Amino acid sequence: MTYNVGVFNKYLEDDFQLVADALLHERPDAVSLNELDSCTHRTGGIFQLERLASLMEGWAFRFGAAMPFDGGAYGDGVMTRDDILRSERFVLPQAGGAEPRALVIVETEDYVFAATHLDHVSAAAQHEQVRAIDSLVARFVAGVRKPVFLAGDMNATPDSETLRLFRQRWRLLTPTDGGTYPSDPPRECIDYIFAWRDGVPCEVIEARVLNRSGAGDLRRASDHLPVLLEVAWQPAGL
């Protein structure tokens, strides 16, 4: 799953439980989370990723700070139901964009999963960030025979040059015919999940944008809607 949570509590007073219940209901193995605060004054000094993980039955997590902010940090995160074997965080080139951006990569026993959030004002900055992501991921997964996924808010539409650049090294797995932003009503598709073309190939079983789950109305949780993907693959060597 990929989900821009908008530093939580955008529309509700406390929506951590709603988001946690949605994740527990949909049961993804890994989640990319964008727009997270870590111990900032803006959001009450809470390490938001840790708080969400505490509601998630012991999920592992890694936070990647993109920049210092308001007494803490702001960035992206990954949560997984599986143990994390190794992880890295990188700051992406700002390249004239509005603010620094980050890439968080984790490896589990079965897959590699990365989260990012591209610049929201500069297409040129996005293009530099895509190139950096390609290089960083290639280095991280060198010698790894597993599927490799990249997820996040790319701030770019399906027909953009940014998506064209991504498609050179990545296969887009999630739908582009439904909007992910704003949450009500969604008009633009800017949140995606990709697979690294040089990784173990996978088959898409189902992919959809969620506006509701068994936990409730997700349009009330953030200004983005989460994107859920189910895939299958043959483990390397079998």
Side-chain angles (χ1 to χ4, degrees):
M1 180 183 284
T2 186
Y3 197 3
N4 181 328
V5 293
V7 297
F8 290 96
N9 309 335
K10 190 173 287 289
Y11 304 128
L12 299 175
E13 183 176 347
D14 186 348
D15 62 7
F16 282 92
Q17 192 65 58
L18 172 60
V19 173
D21 288 346
L23 296 177
L24 290 168
H25 182 266
E26 301 298 339
R27 296 186 59 78
D29 293 290
V31 185
S32 160
L33 295 157
N34 302 128
E35 295 194 20
L36 294 170
D37 271 5
S38 173
C39 307
T40 70
H41 298 304
R42 168 173 68 176
T43 49
I46 296 169
F47 184 7
Q48 292 188 325
L49 184 58
E50 182 179 59
R51 178 170 179 186
L52 181 62
S54 73
L55 302 173
M56 295 296 298
E57 302 175 349
W59 283 32
F61 63 91
R62 295 291 187 274
F63 175 71
M67 62 180 180
F69 182 79
D70 198 17
Y74 170 81
D76 307 286
V78 170
M79 292 198 313
T80 67
R81 288 202 287 155
D82 303 304
D83 291 338
I84 294 173
L85 304 180
R86 64 184 178 115
S87 64
E88 287 197 53
R89 163 263 188 186
F90 305 95
V91 173
L92 299 177
Q94 190 167 351
E99 60 192 26
R101 299 292 183 167
L103 174 72
V104 187
I105 313 178
V106 307
E107 181 182 1
T108 73
E109 183 177 355
D110 297 318
Y111 58 85
V112 173
F113 190 83
T116 197
H117 182 195
L118 299 191
D119 191 77
H120 63 288
V121 300
S122 169
Q126 290 180 3
H127 303 165
E128 288 299 308
Q129 289 162 2
V130 171
R131 295 183 184 101
I133 288 167
D134 288 350
S135 176
L136 294 166
V137 169
R139 189 168 70 218
F140 186 90
V141 303
V144 173
R145 290 300 298 153
K146 299 175 183 180
V148 179
F149 304 100
L150 172 69
D153 174 3
M154 306 309 176
N155 277 310
T157 56
D159 60 351
S160 65
E161 177 67 8
T162 298
L163 266 287
R164 189 194 69 79
L165 290 174
F166 266 127
R167 286 186 170 102
Q168 293 178 3
R169 301 294 300 274
W170 299 88
R171 176 187 168 210
L172 179 58
L173 303 180
T174 48
T176 60
D177 57 350
T180 63
Y181 174 85
S183 55
D184 188 24
R187 294 186 295 273
E188 295 184 324
C189 181
I190 58 175
D191 302 85
Y192 309 94
I193 304 174
F194 302 87
W196 185 242
R197 291 189 183 277
D198 291 336
V200 170
C202 61
E203 175 189 0
V204 175
I205 306 301
E206 183 181 16
R208 55 196 170 97
V209 178
L210 303 176
N211 56 27
R212 296 191 62 86
S213 82
D217 187 354
L218 296 177
R219 295 172 299 180
R220 301 168 63 233
S222 173
D223 55 347
H224 288 246
L225 295 174
V227 183
L228 182 66
L229 171 70
E230 181 181 0
V231 294
W233 66 85
Q234 187 76 15
L238 295 184

